[in-house]
Amino acid sequence: MTTAQDSLTHGADGLRKFRFGAGGEGNKDEGGARKFVKLAQTAEEYGYDTFAIPDHLGNQVGPLAALGALSQATSTIRLATSVLANGFRHPAILAKEATTIDVLSKGRLELGIGSGWMKEEFDKAGIHFGTPGERIRRLDEALTILDRLMRGETVDYDGEFYQINALEGSPRPRQGPRPPIAVGGGGPKMLALAAKHADIISVATGTTRDGKLRLSDMTLEKTIERVDRIREAAGDRFDDIELNWTIATIVITDDREATAQMALNALEQGYPPNIARDVELTVDDILSSPYLAFGSFEEIADQIREVRRRTTMSYVGVFPTQMDAFAPVIPLLRGE
């Protein structure tokens, strides 16, 4: 049976309707913190559904303070973190900040959180980083605590990393039963954890031990494999989970094939340096990748439709530098 809520979130084909996410850091390249609010307002004017802020100790605004400001400077766009590093904040403190932002924004928060991955930042701040296993276990506990505190429950918790005694979550959020939680991941363990807790899962590419993105993970086939892992781990929850991905590069062009060949040539020359070239790709691999968008606005819209058809991913994110380029694609997909 189709409910009224289903008709709002799903199309006649049963697939989730598209949503679109932009973001910003408030760094010097974007014009600094003073122009940060204008960037979010521009995203709202373009029709993006969400404006997200990452969480790093380097050249960017503090995400929670910035979201507080945006809660008053915007009116319709949803406000997100993409994503908070769990090790930077105790979940009891984060839950209070999150529900406060949800109240101030009249129910527009999407709380994205991950295990943290930039060891250098933790080291500089003197914060314990931990092994991958530790970080995943810590995030598991934090998500359990956040879920309950953001519902306004009174929580007792005695875990490996966190101990909480009769703490009541407050203020009560505007959204019920709590603001949605988003978790990103590329590896099997993180995807399984996300499938256990998250309302939104950001399907990311995997990384090597030295932090480079695996080129092989950018293919459509590998992306489908990651979605299948989520489906298996989530079980009956899968249909309730919204899947997100972020397009890394957008090039508006009237010759998709030539642009894809240029991208392959650049990869052969070692650019960009943060990509681990662990596989040889073809032009077709590049053109079908969810993480690369080359072509006219209409061709990019068709590519995104095909990605959703093959993967069920429907929540499309773009990086700050790509926000203007992608904006004309939104009206082509809006409502589908």
Side-chain angles (χ1 to χ4, degrees):
M1 183 176 69
T2 301
T3 67
Q5 183 63 32
D6 287 336
S7 68
L8 292 175
T9 59
H10 292 72
D13 55 7
L15 294 171
R16 277 187 179 269
K17 291 184 178 181
F18 288 114
R19 288 206 301 148
F20 307 97
E25 300 180 3
N27 58 34
K28 293 177 182 177
D29 294 337
E30 297 170 5
R34 289 183 299 175
K35 292 189 177 180
F36 180 75
V37 169
K38 179 59 180 174
L39 186 68
Q41 291 170 334
T42 300
E44 188 171 63
E45 291 166 6
Y46 280 155
Y48 285 95
D49 297 279
T50 307
F51 188 85
I53 307 174
D55 186 24
H56 296 292
L57 299 182
N59 179 24
Q60 70 154 84
V61 296
L64 298 179
L67 288 184
L70 295 185
S71 74
Q72 305 304 298
T74 60
S75 58
T76 58
I77 197 166
R78 293 181 64 77
L79 306 174
T81 52
S82 180
V83 292
L84 299 178
N86 179 53
F88 288 169
R89 300 167 191 84
H90 192 287
I93 306 303
L94 176 57
K96 179 171 287 291
E97 298 293 333
T99 54
T100 298
I101 291 168
D102 196 59
V103 171
L104 292 176
S105 66
K106 299 180 180 178
R108 290 186 284 140
L109 177 67
E110 292 179 8
L111 184 68
I113 185 168
S115 62
W117 61 277
M118 289 189 69
K119 183 177 185 297
E120 179 185 7
E121 292 188 339
F122 282 76
D123 291 344
K124 286 182 176 180
I127 300 172
H128 177 66
F129 187 61
T131 66
E134 281 181 308
R135 296 200 306 281
I136 289 175
R137 296 198 307 276
R138 186 186 300 131
L139 180 60
D140 190 6
E141 291 190 11
L143 287 166
T144 301
I145 293 165
L146 284 167
D147 174 55
R148 295 186 59 194
L149 286 177
M150 289 200 301
R151 294 172 187 264
E153 296 180 9
T154 299
V155 175
D156 288 285
Y157 190 88
D158 185 13
E160 178 184 358
F161 301 96
Y162 304 111
Q163 291 77 42
I164 295 178
N165 300 301
L167 179 65
E168 181 181 357
S170 68
R172 292 296 294 270
R174 181 71 172 263
Q175 297 178 86
R178 56 155 174 75
I181 292 174
V183 177
K189 291 181 180 178
M190 274 300 298
L191 290 174
L193 180 63
K196 174 182 175 182
H197 290 284
D199 306 292
I200 302 164
I201 298 178
S202 183
V203 183
T205 55
T207 57
T208 62
R209 288 189 176 273
D210 57 355
K212 292 186 176 182
L213 303 177
R214 290 193 182 92
L215 183 60
S216 58
D217 274 6
M218 298 183 74
T219 65
L220 179 59
E221 289 71 23
K222 287 291 187 179
T223 306
I224 292 170
E225 288 181 14
R226 292 196 293 280
V227 172
D228 285 344
R229 287 194 198 105
I230 295 169
R231 182 181 287 106
E232 181 179 356
D236 293 341
R237 289 193 70 238
F238 183 76
D239 288 342
D240 296 325
I241 297 172
E242 185 177 33
L243 299 181
N244 160 260
W245 84 102
T246 299
I247 301 175
T249 302
I250 299 165
V251 180
I252 308 304
T253 175
D254 58 4
D255 194 335
R256 299 181 75 223
E257 288 76 14
T259 304
Q261 186 59 59
M262 288 174 60
L264 287 176
N265 294 342
L267 288 166
E268 290 176 3
Q269 300 300 317
Y271 182 83
N274 66 328
I275 298 289
R277 191 161 155 257
D278 61 339
V279 68
E280 295 292 332
L281 299 185
T282 66
V283 166
D284 286 342
D285 290 330
I286 293 291
L287 293 179
S288 64
S289 170
Y291 303 96
L292 304 169
F294 302 155
S296 67
F297 299 128
E298 291 78 10
E299 286 172 330
I300 290 173
D302 284 342
Q303 177 186 347
I304 289 171
R305 291 185 185 102
E306 180 66 6
V307 168
R308 183 181 63 174
R309 186 186 73 81
R310 297 285 303 279
T311 68
T312 73
M313 300 191 304
S314 58
Y315 187 179
V316 189
V318 299
F319 286 107
T321 54
Q322 312 280 282
M323 190 176 84
D324 295 336
F326 187 79
V329 179
I330 294 176
L332 302 178
L333 296 171
R334 175 64 68 199
E336 293 188 15

